[in-house]
Amino acid sequence: MADLNEPLPPIPKIYPEGCFFDKIEDIAGKHVVVMGLGLNGGGEASVRFLLKHGAYVLVTDMKTAEQLAPTIKSISEDADLDKSRLTYRLGEHKIEDFASADCVIKNPGVKYDGNKFLAAAKAIETDISLFLHFTKAPIIAVTGSKGKSSTVSAIYYGLKKAGFETFLGGNITVSPLTFLEKTSGTTPVVLELSSWQLADLHGRKALKPHISIITKIIPDHQNFYHSMLAYVADKKLIYADQSKDDFTILDFDDDPASDGGTLIDNWGNIFAKETKAQVLRYSKSKLPDGVFGVWQDKNGNGVCRLPEKLMSRYAQSHGKTTDTILKELTVPGKHMRLNVLNAALVLELMGVAPEQTVEILSRWHGIEHRLEFFHSCTIKYPSGSACTLKFYNDSAATVPEAAAEATQAFGKPVVFLTGGTDKGLDLTPVADTIARSSAIKPSAVYVLEGSASDKMMKDFAQRNISFKGPFKSLDEMLSALKDSLLAKPSSGEKIVVFSPGATSFGMFTNEFDRGNKFKEKVREIFV
């Protein structure tokens, strides 16, 4: 029986097809409100783009000028911008600003449902919807619950090294408006799209990627959606307007963690039935005959099977049915191999030779805040022994499954730093993974204070997993770690990985701020 007190899922806003601005020239003279300046580039890029093309821009944000100082300074110091047409309304929103504007540019993090300011707007766009309307570039779009950023970064790296003029943007904190006018029909654009960015495209028919990828689906953002079905409905927009000449790349493996109470353990099968594009699958095991896509063989190499007309020239000329497209990889973790394998599949579809793909991706070193190796030091003890510490920043792990995988990614015990703010998720995967793993249990667990941490610590206690904390700050946690290491002499190498498995609000601005502050404190404390 339904809980009558449970919040209702948000009702999706269906936007008119097309864009408020038919041509870029239509922007000149329009009065546009940018809702949400922020610190991650999207709001700033919108302001710059609109001013450049002659709009009168009013920026409104609930944050204060002091909080937004870095972004405001960046705009104010740009001599090429005509700031006479720019106005700020900070620390508040006024409904008359929205009602009188020709168009509102909405930040994807702002909810439409129940928002009186957006309800007053005559027209609403986003930086993504503007970009998609104006660009002629072929789009490679990636969404999912985890692995999005690693996948798009590996694709972008691979295309660049293979000789393509290409661009990367979206949820990875680079607005595509920053490179719109550099794109053409021959410059592939790789977009990471969050569920919120996709939600802002409902009805527009603006997103028609040549290649779309949905990475592993697990429960996420349930504090906002309150329903896996509502969350996944936004993800489905990535392939909604693809055609039979396009490709949709989907998970093949069952995963009980994906259902979120929906009794669905393989979303890939659901998506495959709905998309009009050609379906390709990815798997950790060999795909059945007749199923096209990529998988990992028993040696961990990436193998690709495509319809004959799409196979590499080498395979066609030698009568082969598969290509090896991935071998060595420097970034740790089985899940990372699957992300990079999908990148290799994209390179195959873009015509890159398999042997070139293997060589290129072997040199990819991952991305910031995703199992990012950034510091090492050596502790020397009076006895003459020494211990080398290697620090990894995995701050972008904002779901428990990602943190659980980080405990296993190195093939040996790690010092595991975790914890953060709850976003309505089941956090038991972290404790369950540690409890089940007899060979790779963390050598120590440190917990940073937060509402998600409270739930994690209960899970740890129930499974007899010892931990230290909660700590009120990174300083306190890292100092406790150093004191413990100094008190117990050891030798060899220790890996320290910070993988929160939760969001970061309250103590940090976002997961990137959290990762940067973690790196700063580690370098300060562990010289």
Side-chain angles (χ1 to χ4, degrees), residues 268-280:
N269 291 341
I270 304 295
F271 304 147
K273 292 175 182 177
E274 296 179 354
T275 180
K276 302 180 188 71
Q278 300 175 66
V279 174
L280 302 173

Side-chain angles (χ1 to χ4, degrees), residues 194-196 219-226 231 399 423 425:
S194 69
S195 56
W196 296 334
D220 197 5
H221 299 303
Q222 292 303 284
N223 56 335
F224 172 78
Y225 284 99
H226 304 292
Y231 169 62
V399 294
K423 54 177 177 175
L425 303 182

Side-chain angles (χ1 to χ4, degrees), residues 22-35:
D22 185 42
K23 305 182 297 296
I24 284 185
E25 292 76 16
D26 296 339
I27 295 172
K30 295 294 191 299
H31 291 263
V32 184
V33 165
V34 173
M35 185 186 197

Side-chain angles (χ1 to χ4, degrees), residues 132 137-143 189-191 193 198 201 205-214 235-249 275-278 350:
L132 292 172
I139 303 297
I140 301 166
V142 179
T143 193
V189 169
V190 187
L191 291 179
L193 297 173
L198 288 165
L201 299 176
K205 295 190 178 297
L207 178 62
K208 300 176 182 179
H210 178 52
I211 301 171
S212 70
I213 302 174
I214 302 182
K235 297 294 188 189
K236 291 181 177 184
L237 289 167
I238 200 166
Y239 60 73
D241 293 304
Q242 285 187 289
S243 73
K244 61 181 178 60
D245 297 321
D246 301 319
F247 300 95
T248 306
I249 300 172
T275 180
K276 302 180 188 71
Q278 300 175 66
M350 296 295 287

Side-chain angles (χ1 to χ4, degrees), residues 297-363:
D297 66 16
K298 61 182 180 181
N299 297 316
N301 293 329
V303 179
C304 174
R305 180 202 293 142
L306 295 176
E308 185 177 355
K309 65 179 180 179
L310 297 174
M311 289 297 292
S312 69
R313 293 179 183 176
Y314 177 84
Q316 291 175 7
S317 63
H318 288 75
K320 295 179 62 179
T321 59
T322 63
D323 277 318
T324 297
I325 58 174
L326 186 68
K327 291 183 180 177
E328 297 299 323
L329 188 62
T330 59
V331 184
K334 293 180 181 179
H335 63 293
M336 190 63 75
R337 289 194 70 84
L338 209 54
N339 297 334
V340 183
L341 182 53
N342 277 335
L345 175 55
V346 170
L347 297 188
E348 180 91 348
L349 294 174
M350 296 295 287
V352 180
E355 61 274 15
Q356 189 180 8
T357 295
V358 168
E359 193 275 329
I360 287 172
L361 293 179
S362 71
R363 293 186 274 115

Side-chain angles (χ1 to χ4, degrees), residues 38-41 63 171 173 369 393 395-398 421 474 498 500 502-518:
L39 298 167
N40 290 327
K63 290 186 174 68
N171 193 53
T173 75
H369 308 302
N393 164 34
S395 180
T398 60
T421 307
L474 289 172
F498 178 46
T503 190
S504 55
F505 302 117
M507 195 177 292
F508 307 98
T509 304
N510 52 41
E511 64 267 34
F512 310 114
D513 174 56
R514 175 173 62 187
N516 288 331
K517 284 187 168 60
F518 173 69

Side-chain angles (χ1 to χ4, degrees), residues 484-523:
S484 177
L485 292 169
L486 290 172
K488 297 178 181 179
S490 61
S491 59
E493 178 184 272
K494 286 186 183 294
I495 290 173
V496 182
V497 57
F498 178 46
S499 189
T503 190
S504 55
F505 302 117
M507 195 177 292
F508 307 98
T509 304
N510 52 41
E511 64 267 34
F512 310 114
D513 174 56
R514 175 173 62 187
N516 288 331
K517 284 187 168 60
F518 173 69
K519 291 189 288 184
E520 177 186 322
K521 291 300 177 183
V522 165
R523 292 183 177 118

